[in-house]
Amino acid sequence: MPTQLERARDGVVTSAMGRVAERERRDPEFVRERVADGRAVIPNNHGHEGLDPMVIGEAFATKVNANIGNSEDTSDPEAELEKLHAAVHFGADTVMDLSTGPDLDRIREANVAHSPVPVGTVPIYEAVKRAGSPADVTRDLLRDVIEKQARQGVDYMTVHAGVLMEHLPLTDGRTTGIVSRGGSILARWMEEHGEQNPLYVDFPELCETFREHDVTVSLGDGLRPGSLADASDEAQFAELDTLGELTGVAQERGVQVMVEGPGHVPMDEIRDNVDRQREACDGAPFYVLGPLVTDVAPGYDHVTSAIGATEAARAGAAMLCYVTPKEHLGLPEREDVREGMAAYRIAAHAADVANGLPGARDWDDALSEARYDFDWRRQFDLALDPERAREFHDRTLPGDNYKEARFCSMCGAEFCSMRIDRDAREAGEGMTDLDDETDLDASPAAAVNLPPVGTHDAERLPAWPPEREGPNDASGEADD
């Protein structure tokens, strides 16, 4: 079966492209053209039956990925499904299963079966788990793992094929060395064996597997900087040039490609990093982790990275990989997923507004109008996280009568500026009454820039929680 890229090149608008056009409120032919020229991807494994297709590309709304997965200390598949559904409920456009503990196949298969969004993996993690150590991984094992995960329905895979032997000495003067798990594993393998990166050597062959299942290859940045001191160094950019080469190799074979970007970058270097990737990789979608713009805030890295993510998306990054408050500190739990997703949905939306995407600001205008009207219930419904907004309001003014109040507890009735302003306008004291009303139903904004977040077509998915009957989305709310 041809890939989305091959069908697009043949002039065919697939059903996935049609669904993407509907969600992005774009012409289907525009979607096809962007996929055909490699500037957009639709991760859509032939075997992921419950997927609601989405698109990643600079010309479309900025997307957000959530990393989930277990570790050696956590192995409950049910807990992983809870994280999956929390991520999608709070607005994840894709999820990556980065599990490294027990039950890898069960967790991966359950995630694919229950996910309405694309599922990504990093196959080398399973290869190391099965081999016992990085040095014991074989080329055959890597190929077997990639083929198996493709058959299981994984939509995109991160492969660190751009880390080459000749790049390793370039990391010697770094402050934090090689911080990518995949990059460090492959560096160790090359040092032990004295051979070139097997993912690089076998990349053309691996592309045949990717093509067979229409797995989008996500070219991992194994030499990404893990501190501001190492940002934009020779090692990072040497790998990036190799990723540009591999982008062409994959696309020539009909494989969709996106390219992963740096983790820690000072604010003033972010745009240059995005521009350099676009040039080196011929416009393939850029998928960035953060970037974190400062290293001083453990426990708040969802904030430090969301700042960088906004700037990266403003400069043209197509998808943002979220960071949670637990970054560098521990394995995220459900509430960490919620905090990370909120920070990154804000970053993505803010960038889309700044970049002038059609209708992106309509959501902001509608909520502002509800706020000025003291329409508390509509404010809550329009909020990015309605439960959080309602919770904070009701902590101090919990009664239903306060849902009609013309003030909140921050200023109180006497000092509420909007109440004072409205009273003056309504009294006809020379100020014009404001009567703007934004119609979100008529907005040209993409679905991710309209409330509520986390709604997908989930009719083909198993019910969640398991005892629930009938179709439901990942949040347990109605389908969009």
Side-chain angles (χ1 to χ4, degrees), residues 225 231-233 236-237 240 261-262 264-266 268-278 286 291:
S232 307
D233 69 356
Q236 177 191 336
F237 289 142
L240 178 60
H264 293 244
V265 180
D268 59 306
E269 296 179 16
I270 291 174
R271 181 168 290 275
D272 287 343
N273 270 258
V274 176
D275 290 344
R276 187 155 182 163
Q277 183 275 342
R278 289 150 112 187
F286 201 20

Side-chain angles (χ1 to χ4, degrees), residues 18-170:
R19 174 58 175 154
V20 162
E22 177 185 351
R23 295 179 67 179
E24 298 284 329
R25 303 199 183 186
R26 295 295 188 94
D27 186 274
E29 180 62 19
F30 178 78
V31 175
R32 185 201 66 78
E33 290 174 353
R34 285 285 168 162
V35 174
D37 66 16
R39 294 178 180 270
V41 298
I42 301 176
N44 191 178
N45 188 312
H46 300 316
H48 190 166
E49 296 180 357
L51 180 70
D52 188 10
M54 52 79 71
V55 67
I56 302 167
E58 181 185 350
F60 302 99
T62 305
K63 304 305 188 299
V64 177
N65 170 70
N67 289 338
I68 58 175
N70 75 351
S71 69
E72 285 293 340
D73 299 322
T74 62
S75 59
D76 183 0
E78 288 294 311
E80 291 309 310
L81 282 178
E82 289 285 358
K83 281 192 261 184
L84 165 69
H85 285 82
V88 176
H89 173 50
F90 291 114
D93 299 294
T94 76
V95 295
M96 290 202 77
D97 177 4
L98 304 186
S99 295
T100 57
D103 295 323
L104 295 182
D105 284 324
R106 284 181 59 203
I107 289 172
R108 187 181 310 116
E109 290 169 355
N111 282 339
V112 171
H114 284 83
S115 180
V117 303
V119 175
T121 60
V122 186
I124 200 166
Y125 296 171
E126 181 181 352
V128 172
K129 182 76 175 174
R130 286 171 54 177
S133 73
D136 291 330
V137 172
T138 66
R139 292 169 63 180
D140 286 342
L141 177 58
L142 276 172
R143 288 194 294 266
D144 289 347
V145 169
I146 288 171
E147 288 173 5
K148 180 187 71 173
Q149 293 191 7
R151 289 194 304 270
Q152 290 174 324
V154 170
D155 299 289
Y156 66 98
M157 295 185 198
T158 294
V159 291
H160 299 88
V163 182
L164 304 185
M165 289 185 69
E166 52 267 37
H167 299 160
L168 302 185
L170 303 177

